[in-house]
Amino acid sequence: MAGEKAAGEKKPGEKKPGKKKPSEKPPAAQKAGQKEGGEKKKKIKKHHASRNPVLARGIGRYSRSAMYARKALYKRKYTAPETKIEKKKKEKPRATITKPVGGDKNGGSRVVKIRKMPRYYPTEDVPRKLLSHGKKPFSQHKRRLRASITPGTVLILLTGRHRGKRVVFLKQLATGLLLVTGPLVINRVPLRRAHQKFVIATSTKVDISGVKIPKHLTDAYFKKKRLRKPKHQEGEIFDTEKEKYEITEQRKTDQKAVDSQILARIKKVPQLRGYLRSTFCLSNGVYPHKLVF
Amino acid sequence: VFKRFVEIGRVAFISFGPHAGKLVAIVDVIDQNRALVDGPCSGVRRQAMPFKCMQLTDFVLKFPHSARQKCVRLAWEKENINAKWAATRWAKKIEAREKKAKMTDFDRYKVMKAKKMRNRIIKHEMKKLQKMSSKKGKKPEKSEKPEKSEKPEKVQKSAKVQKAQKAQK
């Protein structure tokens, strides 16, 4: 049964049986002058019908080996063209590396393997984990954005050092955080990331339709940088860590580039500038659940 | 002591229930607690309604008891109740309350600025008056000045209300 099934399966494996092209003849007759040249250039593949007649559905007349002979597969052996591989000569990854070694009388360097043998083999194999589905890494999570937050919305930041400040929303970044700017000259909030959950979206919107935000403003651009070179002993560690945050020139230029476009639009709306300068606060008798933002 | 009475043709304001906020005319009295009520120009079908949810207004229409809706409508439109109601302070207060509740954060900021400006002007005038009165002592000019100050106050008040209304838009 299994053998016959295999023979039956071979049929769809063949090159689309019965795909004869009767239309091949007229174009060949038309191009009389270019006949030989045309045919040689455009080798129209004329597929043969199935060489394995059907006895019953799924069962062919000839066995696998018989079909091998009948299709002359012994003389049809194809390999993929080796174009760039020839040039690169199959670049192998580096197996060892020479590293410098200190101390005299040591010889200057050692040859060290890059991929080392495992230093431990467990006595029992790790049991096979059950299949799970839908457990994606963070980078593939679905990002949502509240409907009330659209580009140009004025947001109220609730946490962080800029809490209470009103800020203009620019776009949502790949990790889901919101890219936001003061603008800087109005309320000293630079281009910054804010979390959607810790933000109140007001219904005030600035028209940001034509504003071009540079493409290099991504999460990697905003991510906090930390030094990781614990060479020194405990005593000196606190000095080397970058406590003092320095504003790079690139940040300044990016800030200017974005803010100049936005400020022009803010000026058009009366009193909006003063609004963005002010901070949000609650007082007696003001209940957030009753406020319309 | 009582100025507004439940009578045929009395226009009432519905304070709660499904038709809250609408005006109706009392067409007939059913019993101690209920009235037959109709509001053709305010979208209230003819129905029984308890007195408790009605608040009487100053307007009375003239039509016989149990008059049909057409008559009530005629009387209502003849008296032009809708326009008259909108002109009353009662209706204006309701509207102002609604507007205030709908204020957005930006509107609240604008109102705050307007209020601040207004108060500054008023304070400025007051200070001027105080200065003058303290300088000139107990002269009769003092009695004249307060009247003048009422005017700028009222001007600012209307300006502020206008600003608040502008903020709504």
Side-chain angles (χ1 to χ4, degrees):
Chain A
M1 287 284 270
E4 285 174 22
K5 241 191 181 176
E9 278 173 26
K10 214 184 182 188
K11 259 201 286 173
E14 286 183 16
K15 280 184 187 170
K16 291 162 197 169
K19 201 183 168 187
K20 264 191 202 170
K21 289 204 173 178
S23 59
E24 191 208 28
K25 281 192 177 172
Q30 279 174 21
K31 297 176 185 176
Q34 303 170 9
K35 198 179 177 184
E36 280 189 19
E39 271 196 30
K40 272 193 178 171
K41 267 197 177 175
K42 292 183 190 176
K43 248 253 169 177
I44 305 167
K45 295 249 169 180
K46 194 177 148 189
H47 297 291
H48 196 281
S50 168
R51 297 178 213 264
N52 193 358
V54 175
L55 299 174
R57 188 164 75 130
I59 302 170
R61 169 69 185 79
Y62 300 102
S63 68
R64 239 180 227 272
S65 46
M67 282 313 296
Y68 188 89
R70 285 171 68 89
K71 292 203 287 190
L73 290 176
Y74 52 85
K75 51 172 167 172
R76 285 204 234 174
K77 287 187 181 157
Y78 306 107
T79 53
E82 278 213 13
T83 48
K84 291 194 177 166
I85 297 170
E86 289 178 317
K87 292 173 188 173
K88 275 200 175 178
K89 279 220 166 176
K90 280 190 183 165
E91 193 183 322
K92 269 186 174 176
R94 284 231 52 146
T96 63
I97 195 170
T98 45
K99 283 200 165 175
V101 165
D104 18 306
K105 293 197 209 170
N106 244 348
S109 56
R110 294 275 179 279
V111 175
V112 167
K113 274 196 192 180
I114 289 180
R115 301 204 68 191
K116 303 189 180 92
M117 301 300 292
R119 68 202 137 132
Y120 173 70
Y121 288 99
T123 47
E124 289 178 15
D125 285 326
V126 179
R128 225 201 168 150
K129 282 190 177 173
L130 291 161
L131 283 173
S132 70
H133 87 284
K135 306 284 181 287
K136 290 189 189 161
F138 180 69
S139 54
Q140 292 174 26
H141 282 176
K142 214 183 197 186
R143 315 290 174 196
R144 282 172 232 270
L145 188 61
R146 297 208 291 257
S148 52
I149 302 179
T150 62
T153 313
V154 173
L155 308 174
I156 301 176
L157 301 177
L158 296 173
T159 55
R161 57 174 53 214
H162 298 288
R163 62 195 87 103
K165 291 203 181 163
R166 297 186 173 102
V167 124
V168 176
F169 168 69
L170 298 174
K171 66 187 268 215
Q172 187 181 35
L173 301 170
T175 48
L177 296 171
L178 313 177
L179 177 62
V180 127
T181 179
L184 189 66
V185 283
I186 295 184
N187 51 19
R188 289 302 287 170
V189 177
L191 279 168
R192 206 170 200 265
R193 298 187 291 177
H195 190 110
Q196 213 191 131
K197 279 261 169 205
F198 304 111
V199 134
I200 296 180
T202 64
S203 49
T204 321
K205 304 212 193 273
V206 185
D207 184 23
I208 278 201
S209 41
V211 166
K212 289 191 188 109
I213 301 161
K215 295 266 163 138
H216 59 264
L217 298 175
T218 62
D219 286 291
Y221 176 91
F222 288 107
K223 190 155 177 63
K224 286 205 180 112
K225 279 102 190 163
R226 300 211 188 273
L227 293 173
R228 273 280 155 254
K229 286 251 164 155
K231 270 191 172 177
H232 305 275
Q233 293 298 313
E234 294 252 322
E236 289 198 4
I237 273 190
F238 299 114
D239 292 339
T240 53
E241 292 278 349
K242 194 172 53 169
E243 304 173 11
K244 189 68 187 148
Y245 167 70
E246 265 128 27
I247 310 166
T248 61
E249 282 304 314
Q250 197 198 15
R251 289 246 184 175
K252 290 187 190 171
T253 51
D254 290 333
Q255 185 75 50
K256 256 195 195 169
V258 174
D259 277 1
S260 54
Q261 301 174 60
I262 296 177
L263 276 172
R265 285 169 174 75
I266 288 176
K267 276 197 180 152
K268 288 187 192 162
V269 183
Q271 297 194 301
L272 187 60
R273 195 166 188 277
Y275 176 57
L276 291 174
R277 287 190 67 201
S278 63
T279 48
F280 174 77
C281 61
L282 297 171
S283 59
N284 270 354
V286 177
Y287 306 110
H289 70 289
K290 289 215 159 171
L291 287 180
V292 168
F293 283 101
Chain B
V1 178
F2 291 105
K3 296 194 194 82
R4 302 172 182 161
F5 299 97
V6 169
E7 49 192 324
I8 311 294
R10 174 65 66 178
V11 173
F13 173 80
I14 305 176
S15 53
F16 61 85
H19 297 285
K22 298 185 188 160
L23 290 180
V24 264
I26 296 176
V27 173
D28 205 351
V29 170
I30 300 170
D31 62 11
Q32 197 203 354
N33 304 321
R34 293 177 301 152
L36 177 64
V37 120
D38 198 356
C41 304
S42 50
V44 182
R45 285 211 179 144
R46 181 170 270 233
Q47 60 193 262
M49 196 175 277
F51 286 116
K52 276 196 176 166
C53 71
M54 287 191 267
Q55 293 175 351
L56 305 178
T57 65
D58 287 328
F59 306 121
V60 186
L61 301 171
K62 269 229 130 192
F63 52 77
H65 79 105
S66 314
R68 56 198 247 262
Q69 189 172 60
K70 187 175 171 186
C71 302
V72 177
R73 186 195 293 275
L74 276 174
W76 192 293
E77 279 168 0
K78 185 165 169 214
E79 293 284 324
N80 205 358
I81 297 291
N82 284 339
K84 282 189 186 168
W85 169 250
T88 59
R89 282 181 177 266
W90 187 346
K92 285 184 192 161
K93 273 191 275 177
I94 294 171
E95 204 201 319
R97 216 178 300 144
E98 280 173 21
K99 278 196 176 157
K100 192 173 180 188
K102 267 194 274 176
M103 265 204 289
T104 74
D105 197 43
F106 192 21
D107 295 335
R108 257 173 264 130
Y109 168 78
K110 287 191 234 175
V111 165
M112 182 264 283
K113 284 288 175 189
K115 258 192 187 171
K116 212 173 174 187
M117 202 169 16
R118 172 185 174 236
N119 289 337
R120 274 228 180 101
I121 296 170
I122 293 172
K123 222 181 262 180
H124 183 65
E125 291 292 316
M126 270 302 289
K127 288 277 156 81
K128 274 207 287 192
L129 293 174
Q130 283 173 351
K131 230 193 210 178
M132 270 195 284
S133 65
S134 65
K135 269 188 183 173
K136 295 181 179 176
K138 297 167 191 173
K139 287 215 170 160
E141 282 185 83
K142 213 210 291 184
S143 55
E144 290 176 32
K145 297 291 180 181
E147 290 175 39
K148 255 195 185 173
S149 74
E150 290 301 317
K151 246 198 178 176
E153 255 191 72
K154 280 187 185 156
V155 165
Q156 268 92 62
K157 233 188 199 174
S158 60
K160 195 206 96 188
V161 165
Q162 276 171 30
K163 267 234 163 171
Q165 285 174 355
K166 225 195 253 178
Q168 292 310 308
K169 292 159 196 172

